Amino acid sequence: MSHRWTVRLRLTVLYGGLFVLAGAALLTITYLLLGQALNRQPVSASAVLAIAHAPAGTSSVAAQLTAPVSGQIDLARSTEVARDLQSDFRAATLTSLLQQGGLALAGVAVAGVAAAWFAAGRTLRPIAEITATARRVAGRSLHERIGLTGPRDELRRLADTFDDMLARLDTAFASQRRFAANASHELRTPLAINRTLIEVALSHPDASPDVRRLGETLLVVNARHERLIDGLLLLARGDQELADPIPVDLAAVTEHVVTLVPAGPVTMTVTTAPSPMTGDPVLLERLVQNLVENAVAYNVAGGSVTVSCAPGELTVTNTGPVIAAFEIPRLFEPFQRLTDRVGSATGTGLGLSIVRAVARAHGGTATAAPGPSGGLTVRVTFD
């Protein structure tokens, strides 16, 4: 059970246990020292004799020392009574000490455990701040910092180290996104030039059939590269935090996208309910478009696609070849495709990667599971 205890509870048990052990040790030491002190102060026989000579009826000791026959005081008897008195007094004193001390220890232990609970909470408060910041950072907010104040103790050094790590990560991710965006922009220009040159060559009236076939093939390859560059640019944009989110209805976006995607030989069923949220309409449109296009492309003739939009959730299910559950996680990685999926050769391998990046940028998650009749069910949820 101890591995299920929180750190605060374990610290409370530790502090409270040490406090109780210290109190018990103090009570034990007091008991032993008091017992030794009582042993060093015996009741003298002369004192007993003096008490015995007291007027009749004023001392019970006199009754114990009076000889039953002669009525005279027996010195040996007084010594024995002195030892008994000392033993009884010692036992009564130590017993009272144990009883009263035990009650006091129990009361102080309860107060000590309560104080330990609050002390542990105060000690762990900086850890709670670090944890809260880490959770926000996990939600794509690398620019946040803990900024812990106070003495430069171990917790302060931990918070400062964490802030330094966040700064380096923020710089690295920003540099990576800028590189992807700049590279995508730079590659667009030569691809556009290539497309123009090929189209000009194909428009020439004297072009041979072989040249035309080669040109058409090059146009297809060039178009795929353009889609790849656009996907990389969108993926870099989706990995960034939204700058100016605006109110948008995910249901309206879904209905608009469905009308633009040709279903072909696939039956498409769409059900929507108002789903207001805050985000980037362009990115959300691309998210829905990728899901619907994938559901249509990776399908079978006569198959079906079901698109369902509910408040805070979008689900797209399609029919198709059976997909093993262990192969699904890698579909969300860039440039990962299942080679046995229909039309996989024409894709860029960025569709679901963009979906996941856009979902994360909007504080959501994207998950997938095998469809009930083959294919895939992709669910995107937004907080």
Side-chain angles (χ1 to χ4, degrees), residues 331-345:
L331 293 178
F332 288 94
E333 298 299 326
F335 308 111
Q336 294 295 323
R337 300 186 298 271
L338 298 181
T339 56
D340 58 343
R341 296 185 70 179
V342 178
S344 61

Side-chain angles (χ1 to χ4, degrees), residues 95-176:
T95 300
S96 178
L97 174 65
L98 289 178
Q99 293 176 349
Q100 301 301 325
L103 292 176
L105 178 61
V108 174
V110 173
V113 170
W117 173 263
F118 289 108
R122 186 175 182 83
T123 302
L124 295 175
R125 187 177 301 170
I127 302 296
E129 296 180 10
I130 297 174
T131 303
T133 303
R135 287 178 177 175
R136 290 193 297 269
V137 168
R140 319 299 292 180
S141 300
L142 286 175
H143 64 279
E144 293 195 27
R145 301 293 181 267
I146 299 173
L148 190 66
T149 58
R152 300 193 63 84
D153 54 7
E154 293 81 0
L155 294 177
R156 173 73 179 276
R157 289 195 293 270
L158 173 62
D160 292 343
T161 302
F162 192 77
D163 284 343
D164 293 340
M165 181 186 67
L166 289 181
R168 290 193 295 270
L169 287 176
D170 194 11
T171 302
F173 279 107
S175 176
Q176 182 183 14

Side-chain angles (χ1 to χ4, degrees), residues 1-239:
M1 290 294 294
S2 60
H3 67 282
R4 299 182 181 178
W5 290 4
T6 62
V7 176
R8 185 177 185 182
L9 181 58
R10 280 182 281 179
L11 287 177
T12 301
V13 172
L14 177 61
Y15 296 160
L18 291 176
F19 189 85
V20 172
L21 287 177
L26 180 61
L27 181 61
T28 302
I29 294 173
T30 304
Y31 179 88
L32 295 176
L33 292 178
L34 182 59
Q36 293 178 1
L38 292 176
N39 289 334
R40 289 195 299 268
Q41 295 179 358
V43 178
S44 64
S46 59
V48 173
L49 288 175
I51 295 174
H53 286 292
T58 61
S59 174
S60 60
V61 178
Q64 298 181 36
L65 295 176
T66 302
V69 177
S70 63
Q72 301 297 320
I73 303 302
D74 189 352
L75 183 59
R77 179 62 178 168
S78 65
T79 303
E80 181 181 351
V81 171
R83 286 197 299 267
D84 293 341
L85 286 175
Q86 181 183 4
S87 177
D88 293 342
F89 177 74
R90 182 179 184 278
T93 302
L94 295 180
T95 300
S96 178
L97 174 65
L98 289 178
Q99 293 176 349
Q100 301 301 325
L103 292 176
L105 178 61
V108 174
V110 173
V113 170
W117 173 263
F118 289 108
R122 186 175 182 83
T123 302
L124 295 175
R125 187 177 301 170
I127 302 296
E129 296 180 10
I130 297 174
T131 303
T133 303
R135 287 178 177 175
R136 290 193 297 269
V137 168
R140 319 299 292 180
S141 300
L142 286 175
H143 64 279
E144 293 195 27
R145 301 293 181 267
I146 299 173
L148 190 66
T149 58
R152 300 193 63 84
D153 54 7
E154 293 81 0
L155 294 177
R156 173 73 179 276
R157 289 195 293 270
L158 173 62
D160 292 343
T161 302
F162 192 77
D163 284 343
D164 293 340
M165 181 186 67
L166 289 181
R168 290 193 295 270
L169 287 176
D170 194 11
T171 302
F173 279 107
S175 176
Q176 182 183 14
R177 288 192 295 265
R178 285 195 300 269
F179 173 79
N182 294 335
S184 299
H185 282 298
E186 291 296 327
L187 291 175
R188 275 181 164 183
T189 300
L191 288 176
I193 295 174
N194 288 342
R195 183 179 68 253
T196 302
L197 293 176
I198 295 171
E199 290 174 347
V200 170
L202 290 178
S203 64
H204 198 280
D206 297 332
S208 64
D210 291 338
V211 172
R212 293 186 179 278
R213 285 193 298 270
L214 177 62
E216 292 172 354
T217 302
L218 291 177
L219 281 178
V220 172
V221 174
N222 199 85
R224 184 179 184 276
H225 289 166
E226 288 180 341
R227 292 195 302 271
L228 178 61
I229 297 303
D230 290 340
L232 288 174
L233 184 60
L234 188 62
L235 185 61
R237 181 184 173 188
D239 278 333

Side-chain angles (χ1 to χ4, degrees), residues 291 294-295 298-299 304-306 315-325 327-329 331-332 338 341 352 367-379:
L291 290 178
N294 281 357
Y298 302 120
N299 213 313
S304 63
V305 174
T306 302
T315 304
V316 179
T317 303
N318 72 324
T319 55
V322 177
I323 302 176
E327 292 185 317
I328 291 178
L331 293 178
F332 288 94
L338 298 181
R341 296 185 70 179
L352 291 181
T367 58
S373 302
L376 200 65
T377 297
V378 181
R379 179 174 290 101

